């Protein structure tokens, strides 16, 4: 009931899979386990590429766990929770191998952040995107740098300021979030498997140096994302945010 993270490695390809029964929402323990799994895979000399994916059918990731958000009672606890997103993004950034994202369904809030944080994201046609944070009184502070890096400032601002708008996978492809959109999950998996196997045959040293080139300009993200986590940890305590989360949970319970 608390979700899980599972890792496996075969043929130079490490697969990190996360899941939570509530639409793959992310509590702190799943975030920390995901960050650790990505870090460990990056340190394994046998690994040439990492595939990040989630289990389930319709939703890749629904973002932060509302159950955990409503339990936050002080800034320190809030900062610790949002630091989990920072840890995952920084683990992807620092991994000396390419990280491929398998986006098999909707991506909401922090899920959009994950889709943007991976080096290459492949998606299925139903994988819409929505940055929902402003609707509950916070903002995409921690995932924002990853989203802005992929989409540019203007598109990031649009996504942030329209938290109720769900945009199509094709829109996300045009705006740099997805590298390619496939018609079916079977075709998505075939595309990812082919690319991962290709990368597994290339020079580890060359890919590690390319990874550093690709992420140039993000060297301050350890401190930047920590500061952003503190912003979110403070805002989540506001009366407006607590009321918005409670209303969302109540509406979800009646569906």
């Amino acid at each position: 009931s608390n979700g899980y993270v599972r890792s496996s490695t075969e043929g130079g390809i490490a697969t990190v899979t996360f899941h939570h029964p509530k639409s793959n929402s992310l509590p702190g323990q799943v975030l920390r386990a995901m960050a650790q799994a990505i870090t460990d895979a990056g340190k394994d000399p046998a690994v040439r590429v990492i595939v990040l994916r989630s289990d389930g059918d319709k939703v890749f990731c629904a973002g932060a766990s509302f159950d955990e958000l409503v339990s936050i009672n002080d800034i320190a606890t809030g900062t610790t929770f949002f630091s989990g997103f920072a840890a995952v993004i920084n683990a992807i950034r620092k991994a000396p191998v390419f990280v491929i994202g398998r986006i098999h369904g909707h991506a909401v809030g922090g899920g959009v952040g994950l889709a943007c944080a991976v080096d290459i994201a492949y998606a299925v046609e139903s994988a819409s995107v929505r940055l929902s944070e402003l609707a509950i009184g916070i903002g995409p502070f921690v995932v924002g740098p990853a989203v802005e890096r992929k989409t540019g400032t203007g598109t990031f601002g649009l996504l942030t300021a329209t938290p109720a708008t769900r945009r199509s996978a094709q829109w996300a492809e045009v705006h740099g979030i997805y590298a390619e959109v496939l018609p079916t999950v079977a075709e998505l998996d075939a595309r990812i498997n082919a690319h991962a196997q290709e990368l597994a045959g290339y020079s580890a040293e060359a890919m590690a140096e390319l990874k550093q080139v690709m992420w140039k300009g993000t060297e301050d993200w350890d401190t930047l994302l920590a500061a952003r986590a503190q912003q979110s940890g403070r805002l989540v305590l506001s009366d407006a945010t607590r009321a918005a989360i409670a209303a969302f949970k109540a509406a979800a319970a009646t569906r």
Side-chain angles (χ1 to χ4, degrees):
S1 63
N2 294 321
Y4 58 76
V5 175
R6 295 172 180 166
S7 302
S8 62
T9 301
E10 183 177 355
I13 303 168
T15 301
V16 176
T17 303
F18 67 92
H19 178 67
H20 192 277
K22 293 187 177 181
S23 300
N24 283 326
S25 59
L26 296 171
Q29 65 178 20
V30 172
L31 288 165
R32 290 188 294 272
M34 199 190 316
Q36 189 62 57
I38 293 167
T39 299
D40 290 345
K43 291 179 179 179
D44 185 345
V47 171
R48 293 289 185 271
V49 59
I50 299 170
V51 175
L52 178 64
R53 52 162 290 159
S54 62
D55 279 340
D57 297 322
K58 296 181 179 180
V59 180
F60 165 68
C61 177
S65 165
F66 274 28
D67 288 338
E68 190 148 350
L69 288 178
V70 298
S71 71
I72 295 171
N73 292 313
D74 55 70
I75 292 178
T77 304
T79 300
T80 297
F81 171 70
F82 287 104
S83 292
F85 285 97
V88 174
I89 293 170
N90 279 322
I92 293 170
R93 176 175 68 90
K94 294 176 182 179
V97 298
F98 295 128
V99 180
I100 296 175
R102 176 188 181 269
I103 318 301
H104 72 281
H106 308 306
V108 181
V112 178
L114 293 181
C116 289
V118 296
D119 297 300
I120 303 156
Y122 291 107
V124 75
E125 286 182 348
S126 61
S128 64
V129 296
R130 179 166 66 93
L131 272 185
S132 57
E133 288 86 346
L134 187 60
I136 59 168
I138 52 176
F141 295 108
V142 179
V143 302
V147 179
E148 186 174 1
R149 174 176 172 267
K150 279 285 179 72
T151 68
T153 303
T155 298
F156 169 61
L158 175 65
L159 285 167
T160 299
T162 54
T165 302
R166 177 182 287 185
R167 291 179 167 82
S168 70
Q170 289 77 11
W171 185 95
E173 181 182 16
V174 169
H175 289 84
I177 297 173
Y178 299 150
E180 188 176 344
V181 173
L182 289 305
T184 67
V185 171
E187 290 171 277
L188 172 68
D189 286 336
R191 183 71 181 92
I192 290 171
N193 290 339
H195 195 180
Q197 290 174 15
E198 177 189 355
L199 289 172
Y202 293 150
S203 163
E205 183 179 5
M207 288 191 289
E209 293 195 19
L210 279 171
K211 182 74 180 269
Q212 291 182 350
V213 169
M214 290 166 58
W215 284 85
K216 184 178 180 181
T218 66
E219 293 82 5
D220 66 337
W221 278 25
D222 281 333
T223 53
L224 172 64
L225 298 190
R228 295 289 186 88
Q230 190 172 36
Q231 279 183 286
S232 295
R234 171 174 50 81
L235 286 170
V236 78
L237 297 173
S238 71
D239 292 339
T241 297
R242 289 185 176 277
I245 293 173
F248 180 90
K249 286 177 64 68
T254 61
R255 290 172 188 159

